[in-house]
Amino acid sequence: PTHKNECKPSKAVQERAELKTLERKQQELYEEGFKAMQTNELGENRRAAKLLIEAACMCVKRREKLTVGSDEGKQAHLKESELHGLAAQCYLRLQMVKEASKEAEASVAAAKQSGSVARTVESTAAMVLVLLRGPQDGWRGAKVDLENSIASCIKERKWRKQMSKKALEENKCDEAATYDPEGDESCTLLCAEAVARSALMRVLFALNDNEEEEDGAQPALDQITKGVALRREHLRIREKRLLAITNPHPGSHYTKEATVARAECKEAQRQLSSTLINYAGMLTGHQKGENGANRKAYEEALSYARLCGDGVNEQAALSNLVNLTDDKEEVDENKKVMEVRALKEVLAKQRKVGGSKDDCMICYEKLGEKNLVTHAQCGALFHRHCMTKWMEQSPKCPNCNGYAPAR
């Protein structure tokens, strides 16, 4: 070229390139932060929070370059809300309530700006979990917020179903697909309602423990039961979609659409596994595990965790199953031994516990495979009688220093 301006890209091309760069950096930070968050280790959660906040900052920079009110701008708000919400979860694990509250507030603000009902509900639920770590005078307000959030989810899903039915009657197929009761947006609403019900369960649980609500345990159990049902429905829809893609043509198993559908199924399995663990914990905490209902729920959670390859939920389910071995119900002795062995294998893969996996972390004697108890967070195994003596001196786990080592 004879002139410098001839090889200089236009302003629009430059702006698009900058947006792509910011989007790539944001995705890289998110992936690294989410991976660190999955380890459940305190140091990694601290690093994850910083990475996720940095990714949210990239999101803001992208949004500032986009047209106000555009679809891309709304998507940027959604992602920003999600990133702040994940950072709040990390800070809660670190007991950093002030920082968690700041991130939760940022998540709610971004969600409202996006105009998404589902994202607003999920961020409100995250904010409530932070409020539960604070003064009790805000708990009743949190309960009302969650009840309103659940009502808005139900109303939105009902409206979408009516709009889809109306569009089908008028032969408007594209519009009917937009409001599909089993579409992506409806699935998102199902998940959001499940999250809100899980959070409401925790609020009712807390109010019951502080005797601010009569018989709060049963309403709390009702909420988490409905949450499990919503997760099951979500998984059913995802599995139905995957089957519709892969069943007619064997070659379709390897398409991009099938890959996405499989990933969605795995995520739905992971979410159901987490909710089942919460449900089983609720049954155990309130002695409502008659006929082994809590054990069955943990076993189902374990099966879904293994299906989707989620090591964190697999460890949590196994840890709780090991801790249930003192229950009055009759459990096959071989089954107990298999659960202990499986937990040891999971911990060995994740390399979470220091020292020998065959030694009690209190007395350093051989563990064996019977009368053991474990800490769900770090996975350390102890003799049950050793932990009983330890708890008389300290409420903290001797391995990771976390509270409530075992039931």
Side-chain angles (χ1 to χ4, degrees):
T2 55
H3 300 288
K4 291 181 179 179
N5 288 338
E6 288 183 23
C7 60
K8 187 177 180 181
S10 66
K11 186 177 179 181
V13 172
Q14 283 181 326
E15 287 178 351
R16 182 54 58 183
E18 287 175 7
L19 284 170
K20 286 286 184 185
T21 302
L22 287 169
E23 188 176 7
R24 190 185 72 252
K25 288 180 179 177
Q26 171 202 305
Q27 187 63 22
E28 287 172 355
L29 288 164
Y30 163 72
E31 288 176 359
E32 189 179 351
F34 191 75
K35 186 178 179 181
M37 184 182 176
Q38 296 306 301
T39 63
N40 259 355
E41 293 175 6
L42 297 182
E44 283 295 283
N45 270 272
R46 192 181 297 275
R47 187 171 75 89
K50 290 179 180 179
L51 289 167
L52 292 165
I53 291 168
E54 195 175 342
C57 291
M58 291 289 173
C59 220
V60 173
K61 288 179 181 179
R62 273 187 64 233
R63 183 164 47 78
E64 288 172 349
K65 294 178 180 293
L66 295 167
T67 306
V68 177
S70 66
D71 288 340
E72 283 185 315
K74 289 178 181 177
Q75 288 300 317
H77 276 302
L78 279 172
K79 194 65 181 177
E80 183 189 346
S81 175
E82 180 189 353
L83 292 164
H84 282 301
L86 290 171
Q89 286 182 38
C90 292
Y91 280 131
L92 275 181
R93 291 176 184 176
L94 295 164
Q95 306 293 326
M96 299 169 70
V97 179
K98 186 177 178 182
E99 289 80 358
S101 179
K102 181 182 175 183
E103 292 304 310
E105 286 173 4
S107 178
V108 172
K112 287 180 178 177
Q113 287 178 313
S114 74
S116 167
V117 173
R119 184 61 236 170
T120 303
V121 168
E122 287 182 346
S123 57
T124 300
M127 186 71 213
V128 166
L129 294 180
V130 176
L131 287 172
L132 284 176
R133 303 292 182 95
Q136 296 176 20
D137 52 8
W139 293 0
R140 288 204 170 275
K143 180 189 170 197
V144 173
D145 288 343
L146 287 171
E147 288 171 342
N148 291 337
S149 294
I150 290 167
S152 66
C153 274
I154 294 170
K155 183 180 178 182
E156 182 76 7
R157 283 198 291 123
K158 187 177 179 180
W159 174 76
R160 294 184 73 82
K161 191 173 182 179
Q162 289 172 345
M163 292 297 291
S164 177
K165 185 179 178 181
K166 183 181 177 183
L168 284 171
E169 288 171 353
E170 297 173 359
N171 290 322
K172 296 178 180 178
C173 296
D174 291 341
E175 190 176 331
T178 303
Y179 298 111
D180 184 3
E182 295 188 353
D184 286 335
E185 187 60 33
S186 295
C187 282
T188 306
L189 287 164
L190 276 173
C191 292
E193 187 183 340
V195 168
R197 288 191 183 278
S198 292
L200 181 55
M201 176 269 292
R202 294 179 187 276
V203 173
L204 291 169
F205 196 3
L207 289 171
N208 180 67
D209 282 353
N210 286 275
E211 298 179 353
E212 290 188 25
E213 188 128 332
E214 291 184 11
D215 194 26
Q218 188 56 50
L221 183 57
D222 293 342
Q223 290 300 326
I224 195 63
T225 303
K226 289 175 183 175
V228 170
L230 289 164
R231 293 295 191 194
R232 289 191 197 282
E233 175 65 9
H234 177 225
L235 178 58
R236 183 195 66 78
I237 292 170
R238 293 303 187 190
E239 287 176 338
K240 180 182 174 182
R241 186 178 300 180
L242 177 61
L243 191 63
I245 294 168
T246 58
N247 198 35
H249 310 290
S252 61
H253 282 268
Y254 306 103
T255 63
K256 185 178 179 180
E257 191 179 7
T259 302
V260 171
R262 270 192 293 272
E264 288 171 343
C265 268
K266 284 194 172 185
E267 178 59 17
Q269 288 167 346
R270 186 196 66 78
Q271 291 171 347
L272 177 54
S273 176
S274 294
T275 308
L276 281 165
I277 289 169
N278 287 336
Y279 170 66
M282 183 75 193
L283 289 173
T284 305
H286 287 275
Q287 290 81 44
K288 293 182 180 286
E290 295 91 352
N291 302 317
N294 48 359
R295 174 170 286 278
K296 289 173 186 175
Y298 280 131
E299 287 174 348
E300 189 181 359
L302 177 61
S303 67
Y304 281 118
R306 285 172 170 169
L307 274 173
C308 67
D310 187 339
V312 174
N313 278 343
E314 184 181 4
Q315 181 201 319
L318 281 168
S319 296
N320 282 291
L321 282 168
V322 169
N323 290 346
L324 282 176
T325 54
D326 258 3
D327 287 352
K328 294 178 182 178
E329 57 173 311
E330 290 296 325
V331 180
D332 182 47
E333 197 66 36
N334 290 330
K335 199 173 186 180
K336 298 177 185 178
V337 171
M338 291 300 291
E339 287 165 358
V340 171
R341 287 177 182 173
L343 179 58
K344 287 181 178 180
E345 287 175 10
V346 170
L347 295 173
K349 284 179 186 176
Q350 297 179 0
R351 298 179 181 177
K352 283 191 172 184
V353 182
S356 171
K357 64 179 181 180
D358 296 322
D359 294 341
C360 172
M361 297 297 293
I362 297 174
C363 69
Y364 295 102
E365 297 292 333
K366 292 293 180 184
L367 281 166
E369 293 173 333
K370 297 179 182 179
N371 294 319
L372 303 181
V373 71
T374 185
H375 183 267
Q377 184 177 346
C378 71
L381 283 160
F382 315 95
H383 293 121
R384 193 172 290 273
H385 62 272
C386 289
M387 180 49 68
T388 302
K389 291 179 181 178
W390 179 275
M391 291 291 286
E392 292 173 0
Q393 304 171 15
S394 171
K396 294 187 177 182
C397 171
N399 181 61
C400 70
N401 209 35
Y403 282 98
R407 282 186 297 275

